[in-house]
Amino acid sequence: MHRQIAGRLTGRVTKWLVLLAWIAAFAVFGSLSAKLVDVQNNEASSWLPGSAESTKVVDELSETVDPNDIPTLIVYYRSGGLSDADLSAIEDQATELSDVDGVVQKTVFTPQAVAQLPGAPFQAQSEDGEVAVTSLTFNFGSDGWNAIPDAVDEVRDITQVDGVTVHLAGYGGQAADSAEAFEGIDTTLILITLLVVIVLLLFTYRSPVLWILPILSVVFAYSVSGGVVYLLAKYAGLTVNGQSQAILGILVIGAGTDYALLLVARYREELRRHDDRHEAMAFALHRAAPALLASASTVAVGMLCLVFAELNSTAGLGPVNAIGIGVTFLVMVTLLPALLVICGRWVFWPKRPAYGSDEPNASGFWARVGARIAKAPRKVWIITTVLLLACSLGLFTLKADGLSTEDTYTKEFDSIKGQKLLVEHGLQDNSNTVQVVANTDELDDVLAAVEDIRGLGTPTEPQQVSDTRSFFEATVGEDISSTKAFDIVQATRDAVHGVDGADARVGGGSAFYLDTKVASNRDNKVIIPIVLIVVLLILIGLLRAVAAPLILMGTVILSFGAALGLSSLLFKYVFGFAGSDPGFPLFAFVFLVALGIDYNIFLMTRVREETATHGTRKGSLIALGSTGGVITSAGIVLAATFLVLGSIPFVFLAELGVAVALGVLLDTMIVRSVLVTAINLDVGGKIWWPSRLDRGERPPGSEGSESERAPATV
């Protein structure tokens, strides 16, 4: 049945119908994909579940405090002190800033103006007279993320004083910097990734033409999947942010190129066995599609496990990438085969696979590696395991308790420079506050409870929220996402929660980040076991055994530990990163397990098929020799695509790219080729327990026919 379906997809007429169908899909969904950035939601508050304390505060204050307010600080600095002319210009600019679209409130803090503003905190001006601050509040409604870059550009045009350095800090400055970090993510990142893949394909195929077809296919896959995600984000409430869009593009291009490499390799082999290219593709697709389906299903299901996350941003990442993988699989088993048979053998020029020519697999590099492993397989897998365990010790250096604003990016943005000036000159960023909501009758006790909290500013005058509830704010004297700010928030919560009958809740900017960290830690504990169980069940169904899937899962976990351990050492001692985001271990785990198991699937499905003819031990050597080259190429391509994430000046994505790339290389070069093969050779037929697939090794000389020895899955 599979062969019939494969033949129909690549028939002399249907190949054109398939091409036309995908062109139509590209025309419809491609235009929607270009709008994906417009439906991104990068607000931290939208990532949190309704059960988070900071989310409850937002809900309570929705009628009193607009959650779309974006406090922003304009920091003016002149070494040696601001002149009277500087201060006059700053005050004049403040008047002009009132006309900027989105500005709803402003306060000027300068030596001249501070006395005219009753209640203005003295900390807002530096004692040495070198720094002055203008405080703005933007509000663009729910469109704040998209509108803030243009508004900030207008503010920068206005706030220019000769000889004075000007920075935008506060939440608005951070939002503008974050927007800049992800600017062009839908075009620049994809173009860089495609360029990297093109170079690797040129090296792999050694053809100036063949690379075009896989690249064209992944472009179709990315555009169509982006269009589908856009529709779900706009009409079904799917959370999409800059991170998930970046990872979607990388995953589609990387996985799509992998699938293309595997299919093209199998097609090239079949062209040597079949005179008619349509028949060759039918056989190739029939043999390769089941392994590709198992791979895509494992990745997609692994990603969908993320829907159990409390963080909406993490939960949204699952469906986004599952859609990407699903569409990519469909493209690679329909469009790519159609393009290959439409073009014919000439597309492999200058080394066209002629009918009847030999396939150079049995004597290649990986066949020689397998022969060496076979001499002492137990020694090989024990030594390899010990080395991977040693690499895993680097996990003790992993610090995943969050990053300050300064440490979040790989370069020093404008808001960070402004924040440093405020700290250096003894000023306080008054844009970062805690918001405390409590029962009005107990409000005095709540205020008394927070009086002595170190790092917390003087509370504002309380305001009514309802007939029975009131709230106040107090400035947090630390960076919004720093551990010190989290400590202040937690101390405030401990204090107000201890007031009997107050039903007090604490929210605000730092509270959002703290609740995000708590939710991330919870997601790590819940989702990682779910992914392991789901992937194990898929392997059991695919291989129809229990022992082999358990062994494979063990090797993947070992590979994950080694990759994360080595990555952690690189982060600390080479790149100088201060730590990691709390969600980093989960993201790295899901991607490494889902993608790492792919290569074991490609290898072990081939081993299983060869076992029926040659036995487990010889079948393992045949499988390694036949699949080694193409899987290694696929791993290098996937690793390179994930490394492109480092082009975004965002520490989380840079770390994720490095960890996944390193893990993929370990999987392809060591785990799949050395560790798994050595275990197969040592354990033999028992690896298929409880299946009786291999009831004993074949006698010497039991080679099987040429067709039996031909590669069957990749």
Side-chain angles (χ1 to χ4, degrees):
M1 182 183 69
H2 290 162
R3 188 176 301 174
Q4 291 177 352
I5 295 174
R8 289 172 182 170
L9 285 173
T10 57
R12 300 180 186 279
V13 175
T14 52
K15 63 185 179 184
W16 295 105
L17 297 178
V18 169
L19 177 59
L20 290 174
W22 278 110
I23 290 175
F26 181 81
V28 174
F29 290 100
S31 60
L32 297 177
S33 179
K35 300 178 182 179
L36 187 55
V37 68
D38 297 333
V39 294
Q40 284 185 14
N41 192 336
N42 294 280
E43 299 294 331
S45 58
S46 68
W47 297 9
L48 290 172
S51 59
E53 186 171 346
S54 52
T55 305
K56 293 178 180 179
V57 171
V58 170
D59 293 339
E60 273 206 84
L61 297 181
S62 60
E63 299 296 328
T64 307
V65 177
D66 195 327
N68 296 310
D69 281 352
I70 305 175
T72 307
L73 299 178
I74 304 172
V75 182
Y76 297 87
Y77 168 74
R78 182 193 287 273
S79 178
L82 294 163
S83 66
D84 290 340
D86 294 337
L87 298 174
S88 178
I90 292 170
E91 292 184 44
D92 291 341
Q93 289 172 3
T95 303
E96 191 174 353
L97 289 171
S98 301
D99 298 326
V100 174
D101 184 40
V103 173
V104 295
Q105 181 182 350
K106 74 173 190 307
T107 307
V108 183
F109 301 108
T110 68
Q112 294 173 335
V114 69
Q116 303 168 17
L117 299 170
F122 180 76
Q123 302 94 289
Q125 61 171 338
S126 63
E127 293 183 359
D128 58 14
E130 292 186 340
V131 174
V133 182
T134 297
S135 176
L136 300 177
T137 299
F138 289 103
N139 191 310
F140 304 96
S142 59
D143 196 39
W145 175 262
N146 295 323
I148 194 70
D150 290 338
V152 164
D153 287 342
E154 188 174 355
V155 168
R156 285 176 173 149
D157 289 338
I158 293 173
T159 56
Q160 295 183 15
V161 181
D162 290 339
V164 175
T165 304
V166 183
H167 304 287
L168 264 68
Y171 187 61
Q174 295 163 17
D177 290 343
S178 185
E180 180 183 341
F182 287 102
E183 185 179 8
I185 197 172
D186 54 332
T187 53
T188 306
L189 181 69
I190 299 303
L191 292 175
I192 293 174
T193 307
L194 288 174
L195 180 61
V196 169
V197 172
I198 288 170
V199 172
L200 291 173
L201 287 179
L202 283 169
F203 178 79
T204 301
Y205 288 144
R206 294 178 174 85
S207 167
V209 182
L210 182 57
W211 64 269
I212 297 174
L213 301 188
I215 290 297
L216 186 62
S217 298
V218 296
V219 169
F220 269 66
Y222 175 69
S223 296
V224 173
S225 59
V228 174
V229 170
Y230 169 82
L231 292 175
L232 292 176
K234 188 171 180 65
Y235 300 108
L238 178 65
T239 300
V240 181
N241 54 46
Q243 289 182 19
S244 57
Q245 183 174 348
I247 294 172
L248 171 66
I250 294 295
L251 186 61
V252 166
I253 295 174
T257 306
D258 275 9
Y259 297 162
L261 284 167
L262 295 166
L263 179 63
V264 170
R266 184 66 182 116
Y267 175 53
R268 180 160 44 191
E269 292 175 8
E270 293 298 335
L271 285 173
R272 302 180 190 277
R273 300 186 180 98
H274 301 276
D275 186 36
D276 183 83
R277 67 180 187 275
H278 300 87
E279 184 179 0
M281 179 55 76
F283 273 88
L285 196 56
H286 165 62
R287 296 298 187 184
L292 295 179
L293 177 60
S295 169
S297 299
T298 302
V299 177
V301 173
M303 294 298 162
L304 287 175
C305 291
L306 293 174
V307 300
F308 295 104
E310 274 197 346
L311 279 177
N312 294 331
S313 56
T314 302
L317 180 69
V320 167
N321 287 285
I323 290 168
I325 286 294
V327 172
T328 301
F329 168 76
L330 291 176
V331 169
M332 293 304 161
V333 296
T334 56
L335 176 61
L336 179 59
L339 291 172
L340 286 167
V341 293
I342 286 172
C343 292
R345 295 176 189 263
W346 70 267
V347 79
F348 289 91
W349 183 84
K351 293 185 178 181
R352 292 185 293 180
Y355 173 56
S357 60
D358 295 330
E359 178 63 34
N361 272 337
S363 60
F365 171 78
W366 289 110
R368 295 194 298 271
V369 170
R372 292 195 175 188
I373 295 173
K375 294 178 181 179
R378 183 170 300 178
K379 181 179 179 180
V380 169
W381 74 255
I382 290 175
I383 292 175
T384 304
T385 300
V386 170
L387 291 175
L388 291 173
L389 286 172
C391 294
S392 301
L393 295 176
L395 284 169
F396 291 106
T397 66
L398 183 64
K399 182 182 177 184
D401 55 357
L403 297 168
S404 67
T405 304
E406 179 179 353
D407 297 327
T408 296
Y409 303 100
T410 59
K411 69 178 186 179
E412 191 175 61
F413 279 100
D414 191 55
S415 64
I416 297 171
K417 296 176 182 178
Q419 180 69 28
K420 284 184 174 180
L421 277 175
L422 293 176
V423 173
E424 290 170 1
H425 291 267
L427 301 180
Q428 183 170 288
D429 179 0
N430 61 355
S431 66
N432 181 26
T433 66
V434 293
Q435 299 170 333
V436 181
V437 185
N439 291 335
T440 303
D441 292 343
E442 283 74 29
L443 192 61
D444 289 341
D445 293 337
V446 172
L447 286 166
V450 302
E451 282 183 356
D452 298 326
I453 295 178
R454 189 171 183 177
L456 196 65
T458 304
T460 61
E461 193 69 27
Q463 300 179 45
Q464 287 290 118
V465 177
S466 65
D467 293 340
T468 60
R469 302 280 282 175
S470 298
F471 94 99
F472 62 86
E473 293 183 272
T475 302
V476 176
E478 299 292 343
D479 180 80
I480 192 169
S481 60
S482 65
T483 301
K484 291 181 179 179
F486 295 164
D487 292 340
I488 294 172
V489 171
Q490 191 58 57
T492 304
R493 284 178 170 172
D494 292 341
V496 301
H497 291 169
V499 178
D500 292 337
D503 190 21
R505 296 168 178 167
V506 177
S510 292
F512 279 128
Y513 285 102
L514 174 59
D515 289 343
T516 299
K517 175 183 175 181
V518 171
S520 294
N521 291 335
R522 175 266 177 196
D523 291 343
N524 291 340
K525 296 176 182 177
V526 172
I527 295 176
I528 288 177
I530 292 176
V531 172
L532 288 174
I533 293 172
V534 168
V535 173
L536 177 62
L537 292 176
I538 291 175
L539 287 176
I540 290 174
L542 175 66
L543 300 177
R544 284 164 278 177
V546 174
L550 286 173
I551 291 172
L552 291 180
M553 289 304 299
T555 63
V556 169
I557 293 172
L558 183 60
S559 175
F560 166 73
L564 212 60
L566 291 175
S567 298
S568 180
L569 293 174
L570 290 174
F571 299 159
K572 183 174 182 179
Y573 297 109
V574 177
F575 302 130
F577 296 151
S580 300
D581 185 272
F584 167 72
L586 174 61
F587 279 57
F589 177 83
V590 171
F591 280 101
L592 283 176
V593 170
L595 296 173
I597 206 70
D598 270 8
Y599 303 111
N600 281 327
I601 286 175
F602 297 140
L603 175 67
M604 290 303 292
T605 51
R606 177 62 192 276
V607 171
R608 192 181 195 284
E609 185 160 347
E610 293 295 341
T611 295
T613 304
H614 304 286
T616 302
R617 290 187 170 92
K618 186 169 183 179
S620 297
L621 294 176
I622 294 173
L624 178 61
S626 299
T627 66
V630 67
I631 291 180
T632 300
S633 298
I636 292 173
V637 168
L638 189 62
T641 55
F642 267 89
L643 280 178
V644 176
L645 285 174
S647 64
I648 301 175
F650 198 60
V651 168
F652 172 81
L653 291 180
E655 291 183 340
L656 183 64
V658 169
V660 173
L662 187 56
V664 166
L665 291 177
L666 283 175
D667 280 325
T668 55
M669 302 293 188
I670 298 177
V671 175
R672 183 265 315 168
S673 58
V674 177
L675 182 58
V676 173
T677 299
I679 292 174
N680 287 345
L681 293 173
D682 187 22
V683 178
K686 295 178 182 178
I687 202 169
W688 305 112
W689 181 88
S691 166
R692 300 185 67 189
L693 174 66
D694 185 3
R695 302 183 183 184
E697 294 298 332
R698 297 298 173 113
S702 178
E703 303 296 330
S705 66
E706 179 68 23
S707 62
E708 288 175 327
R709 288 185 281 114
T713 58
V714 294

